Amino acid sequence: MAKCYDMWLQPVVIEPADLKRISIPVLVMAGDHDFTSIEDNAEMFRDLPRGQLIIVPASKHGTFNSRPDLVNLAIREFLEQPDGKTPAH
């Protein structure tokens, strides 16, 4: 557990240039009260050429548990999009 805790305290750094090279659709999802800020998630989304962003209202990091219906709907809609229809921004 100590190793996991140490890992959780380290920020995950993905360089914007690395995100810009991801050519597949990516869904960025976070709670509106998550431990990462909405702006941090939006910044990651903006660097993804085919990224989509959903901020789940009234949830923290455990969005899958606290808002399963909304999370499942968002994931299902993301996965059901035809590959060519994922909006670029």
Side-chain angles (χ1 to χ4, degrees):
M1 279 306 283
K3 287 182 180 181
C4 287
Y5 184 73
D6 289 341
M7 182 183 68
W8 293 331
L9 293 177
Q10 301 300 315
V12 176
V13 177
I14 303 172
E15 296 297 326
D18 292 332
L19 292 172
K20 290 179 190 314
R21 289 196 307 260
I22 298 173
S23 61
I24 62 170
V26 175
L27 179 63
V28 178
M29 183 181 299
D32 62 348
H33 293 93
D34 212 319
F35 61 82
T36 56
S37 71
I38 291 174
E39 182 52 38
D40 285 346
N41 287 293
E43 184 177 332
M44 183 177 5
F45 153 74
R46 285 190 291 269
D47 287 331
L48 291 161
R50 297 182 66 200
Q52 293 184 47
L53 174 67
I54 180 168
I55 301 298
V56 181
S59 65
K60 297 180 182 177
H61 190 63
T63 56
F64 290 88
N65 291 326
S66 63
R67 303 294 306 268
D69 293 340
L70 182 56
V71 169
N72 289 336
L73 175 62
I75 292 171
R76 186 172 37 253
E77 287 182 357
F78 175 78
L79 293 174
E80 289 176 350
Q81 291 176 353
D83 186 47
K85 299 295 184 190
T86 304
H89 56 86

